[in-house]
Amino acid sequence: MHRSAHRLTRILAASAAVPAILLATGCSMLGGGDDGSGSESTPSQKPEATPTVKAAKYSKLPDACSSIPEKTVKALVPKVKSPSGTAVKSSDAAARGGCTWSGLDDNGLKGSDFRWLDVSFQRYESDTALGTGEKRAEAFFKKQTAALAKPEGGKDVGTGRAEGIGDEAATVSYKETKDKETYVNQTVIARTANVVVTVNYNGAGLQGAKDPKSADLLKDAQQALASAVSAVK
């Protein structure tokens, strides 16, 4: 009886040790020790930097019909139909806009003087994929100037530079015939930062009146352009 009790005591002691061994083994498998024997940790990765681009200087455009003073409009377009101008419809007024004026000074048998004036604005926003607004405006200015220098049906085409207007400015002059009448055209285009401004000014002497001088029209067109560029600021 004494030997049986002693044997039972050893069996119970051995059985009690098993959970402790399993627990120790489980902790080792879970890597809970302080000796670094657990699973390898993945180092944290730094987020990629978001590309940035210099913000465009101008975030909006002026009202095109107010960009050229009414006094100037009346001087350039005699008998103007609407001194306040006719706005060109735009799907995005912050990116583009325009306005037109026309007038006919009818002198009966002495002939008539016709004038047409229009102004347009094109603004570019900075874009991380396309570049700064200024660079995009520069590209448009060059492309537009090249296209204007090849007017369809134009003759006696002349090109030049305009000094003191915006960051850069160019001029294109030519003549064209419509309904047997000769029209003298002057187009001046300027870039100021991320905005490109274009002014078209043309005139004709109708019913025997003398045609306007190209140099006079160019001077007037540059005056209108300077006002429009100033309005952007």
Side-chain angles (χ1 to χ4, degrees):
M1 185 69 178
H2 178 71
R3 276 195 315 183
S4 297
H6 183 65
R7 182 181 180 187
L8 179 59
T9 301
R10 285 187 298 166
I11 292 174
L12 292 175
S15 299
V18 173
I21 295 173
L22 292 176
L23 180 61
T25 304
C27 290
S28 177
M29 292 176 64
L30 292 174
D34 297 330
D35 58 357
S37 61
S39 59
E40 296 183 0
S41 60
T42 304
S44 58
Q45 295 181 347
K46 294 182 179 179
E48 294 183 2
T50 303
T52 59
V53 63
K54 183 181 178 181
K57 183 175 182 178
Y58 300 114
S59 59
K60 61 181 181 179
L61 292 174
D63 173 57
C65 291
S66 300
S67 64
I68 300 176
E70 189 172 309
K71 180 179 179 181
T72 302
V73 170
K74 289 181 177 180
L76 271 56
V77 187
K79 304 291 184 179
V80 60
K81 290 182 179 180
S82 176
S84 59
T86 301
V88 176
K89 292 182 179 180
S90 173
S91 59
D92 186 355
R96 63 190 66 85
C99 191
T100 66
W101 298 265
S102 65
L104 179 65
D105 186 7
D106 191 349
N107 295 306
L109 297 177
K110 294 182 180 180
S112 303
D113 288 320
F114 170 78
R115 294 293 185 276
W116 170 278
L117 173 68
D118 72 63
V119 61
S120 64
F121 295 86
Q122 179 72 43
R123 187 186 72 87
Y124 287 91
E125 191 58 79
S126 294
D127 187 282
T128 54
L130 302 175
T132 64
E134 186 166 341
K135 290 295 183 182
R136 297 177 67 193
E138 285 180 3
F140 177 75
F141 174 84
K142 293 177 181 179
K143 182 179 179 180
Q144 189 76 341
T145 301
L148 291 171
K150 299 178 181 179
E152 184 177 353
K155 58 182 181 180
D156 299 333
V157 180
T159 60
R161 310 298 295 182
E163 301 297 334
I165 304 177
D167 295 313
E168 53 184 335
T171 67
V172 178
S173 63
Y174 63 94
K175 295 180 180 180
E176 61 181 339
T177 302
K178 294 181 180 180
D179 299 326
K180 298 182 180 180
E181 300 287 356
T182 300
Y183 289 79
V184 182
N185 296 269
Q186 292 290 352
T187 300
V188 287
I189 179 172
R191 179 187 64 81
T192 175
N194 59 309
V195 176
V196 176
V197 186
T198 306
V199 168
N200 294 297
Y201 184 46
N202 66 67
L206 308 178
Q207 300 173 341
K210 291 183 178 181
D211 293 330
K213 294 182 179 180
S214 180
D216 292 339
L217 291 186
L218 177 59
K219 181 180 179 181
D220 291 340
Q222 289 179 319
Q223 179 186 357
L225 178 66
S227 296
V229 169
S230 295
V232 175
K233 302 177 181 179

